[in-house]
Amino acid sequence: MSSLPWKLIALVGILIQLLFFCKQAESYASYFDRITSLPGQPPVGFQQYSGYVTVDEKKQRALFYYFAEAETDPASKPLVLWLNGGPGCSSLGVGAFSENGPFRPSGEALVRNEYSWNREANMLYLETPIGVGFSYARDTSFYEGVNDKITARDNLVFLQNWFVKFPQYRNRSLFVTGESYAGHYIPQLAELMLEFNKKEKLFNLKGIALGNPVLEFATDFNSRAEFFWSHGLISDATYTMFTSFCNYSRFVSEYYRDSVSPMCSRVMSIVTRETSRFVDKYDVTLDVCISSVLSQSKILTPQQVGETIDVCVEDKTVNYLNRKDVQKALHARLVGVRQWAVCSNILDYELLDVEIPTITIVAKLIKAGIPVLVYSGDQDSVIPLTGSRKLVNGLAKELKLRTTVPYRVWFEGQQVGGWTQVYGNILSFATIRGASHEAPFSQPERSLVLFKAFLDRQPLPEAF
């Protein structure tokens, strides 16, 4: 008798095993990115992952991510991508470890953030663009001339390849959120998602949320003068100069073209002296320093005429993420840099991209049926609520969206959480009362209420 039937049976058995393995690929693809436990971490019941996603094999460019699944029932919760601004500041150090992630460093340990956004969603934090945090390019010449187009394209490729690692999230409801210069990153990425979906339906994009965002250079930047004046930070005479002789958008344009005029230099010197370097521009009511992890100021506040951002002596997040045991637990490595930094000092971003208006892209997204929330921490003078509210109101008029929720207060607990207005049930504006530029850091409870309402597409609480 030939042994062929037995060999055939063995071969079939192997094929069945291979098919089973492929079927279970979603469990194995991300296996090596799973975080067993972070040093000093309290026990938790949700999974964490971190590691690299290559966006360019040939040039060896990779983006670093941190992913915290939802605290309960992650299979039923949406996927939320979070992006911080700068450009060049870390979503890991700022977003995850200082704002809305599950932990915050405290000494040698981590403590739970009771208002973490992974209570409501599966949270994905991306260190972008290449050269930020643990993200890297083997060829360091790539760090020169990075711009919005490159960043948007890389972020799209990242998501495509991340879904290969986590195929169970491919068809999940997806929201993209972030703050500051992410007012550029997010609309530009969302636009590419919609374009990609025309060829292959991959992104189940359900909405975007933009916190204190740069959407239109002149409107956003020039609202700073009124904010300073109305909060008593500058005098009447300086307000006149700051709005008549040299407004802030003109100063920034001149500064990044290395051509600051004598008039602008004089006006900014006076503004700097009156506002004082001992007032945090990201929260003008705060009377203590904020750690450098909260200063996303590469473009938004050019360092000129002696102005520096006051940085706390002890920077817990920087210390924590530079520990070797922490980097090992995160599957992170330092490539071409000696230490992890909150905002990249090796990235040479195309600074004049700040002048590109992204409010026009937001309009396209709304026309495509994508819900948009613009929210503002109302103590931020860097991108003040007045500019954002004006832009949203103007966009509603342009798109002929009627007001569906008139301007009113909303509540968190028994306190006013802020104010809100909704247009056409697709475009929303909200303030977070008492919040800074980094709203989830300074007002975590109120930010979580806003986030949950955004995900659920429900009105913000009208009563307590």
Side-chain angles (χ1 to χ4, degrees):
M1 285 284 291
S2 170
S3 62
L4 183 61
W6 295 107
K7 289 180 180 178
L8 189 61
I9 290 169
L11 181 60
V12 169
I14 292 170
L15 287 172
I16 290 171
Q17 285 183 320
L18 284 172
L19 286 169
F20 177 79
F21 180 85
C22 292
K23 190 75 175 172
Q24 299 298 314
E26 67 180 43
S27 301
Y28 294 101
S30 57
Y31 175 79
F32 294 105
D33 284 359
R34 180 178 292 178
I35 298 170
T36 307
S37 181
L38 292 170
Q41 172 203 304
V44 293
F46 57 86
Q47 295 293 338
Q48 303 173 81
Y49 301 84
S50 61
Y52 290 93
V53 170
T54 301
V55 295
D56 188 335
E57 290 277 4
K58 187 176 180 182
K59 296 182 179 177
Q60 297 185 62
R61 298 190 301 114
L63 288 169
F64 184 83
Y65 78 92
Y66 167 68
F67 180 46
E69 287 194 324
E71 287 186 10
T72 57
D73 198 14
S76 71
K77 301 283 174 64
L79 174 65
V80 174
L81 174 66
W82 173 271
L83 301 175
N84 276 97
C89 296
S90 166
S91 298
L92 176 68
V94 184
F97 281 98
S98 301
E99 295 193 73
N100 51 36
F103 309 111
R104 290 185 180 178
S106 178
E108 294 293 307
L110 294 174
V111 295
R112 284 297 303 273
N113 173 14
E114 295 303 318
Y115 304 100
S116 172
W117 286 11
N118 81 322
R119 288 175 58 171
E120 303 295 337
N122 300 284
M123 295 298 300
L124 175 59
Y125 299 89
L126 175 61
E127 291 202 297
T128 185
I130 298 285
V132 173
F134 293 120
S135 297
Y136 68 87
R138 288 289 181 185
D139 181 356
T140 57
S141 66
F142 178 81
Y143 301 140
E144 300 171 12
V146 179
N147 56 33
D148 282 2
K149 283 188 177 180
I150 291 170
T151 301
R153 184 193 65 214
D154 283 352
N155 291 344
L156 183 79
V157 174
F158 165 83
L159 277 177
Q160 289 175 257
N161 293 341
W162 189 85
F163 281 135
V164 174
K165 279 193 175 190
F166 295 87
Q168 66 270 38
Y169 284 96
R170 277 180 62 107
N171 298 314
R172 196 73 59 89
S173 294
L174 171 64
F175 297 84
V176 188
T177 61
E179 67 197 12
S180 196
Y181 199 80
H184 276 224
Y185 296 158
I186 293 171
Q188 291 163 342
L189 171 59
E191 184 179 33
L192 290 185
M193 285 181 184
L194 296 185
E195 286 295 318
F196 186 90
N197 276 357
K198 292 176 182 177
K199 297 176 289 184
E200 177 189 347
K201 185 71 171 74
L202 177 62
F203 304 108
N204 188 17
L205 184 61
K206 294 294 186 180
I208 65 172
L210 310 165
N212 292 81
V214 184
L215 294 172
E216 200 282 308
F217 174 66
T219 303
D220 284 322
F221 279 37
N222 292 336
S223 62
R224 186 178 295 204
E226 184 179 5
F227 192 94
F228 281 165
W229 176 78
S230 66
H231 285 68
L233 273 69
I234 58 175
S235 66
D236 292 356
T238 301
Y239 174 72
T240 299
M241 283 193 294
F242 205 18
T243 52
S244 303
F245 303 121
C246 178
N247 60 28
Y248 195 64
S249 65
R250 176 184 165 186
F251 164 68
V252 173
S253 290
E254 291 182 0
Y255 181 82
Y256 285 109
R257 289 175 172 83
D258 293 319
S259 60
V260 178
S261 62
M263 176 57 74
C264 272
S265 183
R266 178 170 174 263
V267 170
M268 287 307 301
S269 292
I270 296 170
V271 169
T272 299
R273 185 177 69 248
E274 289 188 4
T275 56
S276 172
R277 68 187 183 94
F278 297 103
V279 169
D280 193 298
K281 305 306 184 295
Y282 296 86
D283 187 336
V284 298
T285 61
L286 211 61
D287 57 4
V288 293
C289 67
I290 287 185
S291 164
S292 64
V293 298
L294 303 176
S295 58
Q296 299 173 65
S297 60
K298 285 188 162 280
I299 276 182
L300 308 185
T301 306
Q303 304 302 298
Q304 209 254 358
V305 293
E307 180 178 2
T308 58
I309 293 175
D310 186 28
V311 177
C312 292
V313 175
E314 186 178 66
D315 193 330
K316 295 174 183 177
T317 298
V318 171
N319 290 341
Y320 186 78
L321 291 176
N322 274 300
R323 284 169 48 179
K324 296 301 179 187
D325 59 339
V326 172
Q327 291 174 5
K328 183 178 180 181
L330 287 168
H331 318 115
R333 54 187 178 271
L334 297 172
V335 179
V337 293
R338 292 187 175 181
Q339 65 175 8
W340 180 93
V342 172
C343 295
S344 175
N345 50 25
I346 60 172
L347 183 67
D348 182 18
Y349 208 86
E350 179 49 70
L351 299 177
L352 291 177
D353 275 8
V354 73
E355 296 179 359
I356 299 171
T358 53
I359 191 71
T360 52
I361 304 176
V362 173
K364 288 175 65 176
L365 297 174
I366 291 170
K367 288 176 182 177
I370 305 299
V372 174
L373 165 66
V374 175
Y375 67 90
S376 296
D378 63 10
Q379 300 308 309
D380 176 31
S381 74
V382 175
I383 304 294
L385 73 96
T386 48
S388 298
R389 181 170 63 182
K390 184 176 182 179
L391 287 169
V392 170
N393 196 356
L395 184 57
K397 289 179 179 176
E398 176 192 327
L399 298 177
K400 295 181 172 57
L401 299 175
R402 64 183 181 86
T403 296
T404 46
V405 175
Y407 200 82
R408 64 163 174 82
V409 297
W410 62 272
F411 287 87
E412 177 274 315
Q414 295 187 345
Q415 298 293 331
V416 171
W419 283 260
T420 185
Q421 185 164 1
V422 182
Y423 307 87
N425 290 322
I426 195 167
L427 174 62
S428 305
F429 174 75
T431 67
I432 302 178
R433 182 168 164 251
S436 65
H437 189 69
E438 298 83 12
F441 165 79
S442 51
Q443 289 290 342
E445 299 102 318
R446 293 171 186 174
S447 297
L448 182 61
V449 169
L450 181 77
F451 179 62
K452 181 173 173 23
F454 165 66
L455 294 182
D456 296 341
R457 294 204 68 183
Q458 293 296 317
L460 282 158
E462 196 169 358
F464 59 83

